[in-house]
Amino acid sequence: AAGMEWLAIAGGRYAEVEFRGPYAELERAYRGLYGSWLPDSGEEAADGPCVEEYLNDPRNHPPSDWLTAVRLPLMA
C-alpha cells in the first residue's frame, strides 16, 4: 500500500504493555512505559523503534475495547 514499508523487527528483550482503548489514546501507553516504568525499572531502552501489535479487529469492537500491545526494545 502507498506509504507503507516492510521492516524486520529486531529480536531481543522488550518491555510490553497492553493498552485497551482507542488508537488516538495510545500515547498513554507510551507515557507509562517511558515516563514511569522505564525510569523505575533499572532497564535501558535499546536503540530501535517501539512495536505496536493490534490484538483485535476494530471492525468488530467499539474503540473502548480495542487492544494494542506496545513493546519497547530493551538493552541486552
Side-chain angles (χ1 to χ4, degrees), residues 3-55:
M4 299 288 288
E5 178 180 350
W6 287 99
L7 300 173
I9 297 173
R13 298 176 352 143
Y14 287 79
E16 179 180 309
V17 63
E18 188 174 292
F19 177 77
R20 178 184 298 270
Y23 302 143
E25 295 178 9
L26 274 172
E27 75 172 77
R28 291 174 33 209
Y30 286 93
R31 277 199 319 258
L33 276 172
Y34 283 99
S36 299
W37 183 83
L38 189 60
D40 293 339
S41 71
E43 297 283 354
E44 185 177 344
D47 184 25
C50 285
V51 177
E52 295 176 4
E53 181 181 359
Y54 307 103
L55 302 175

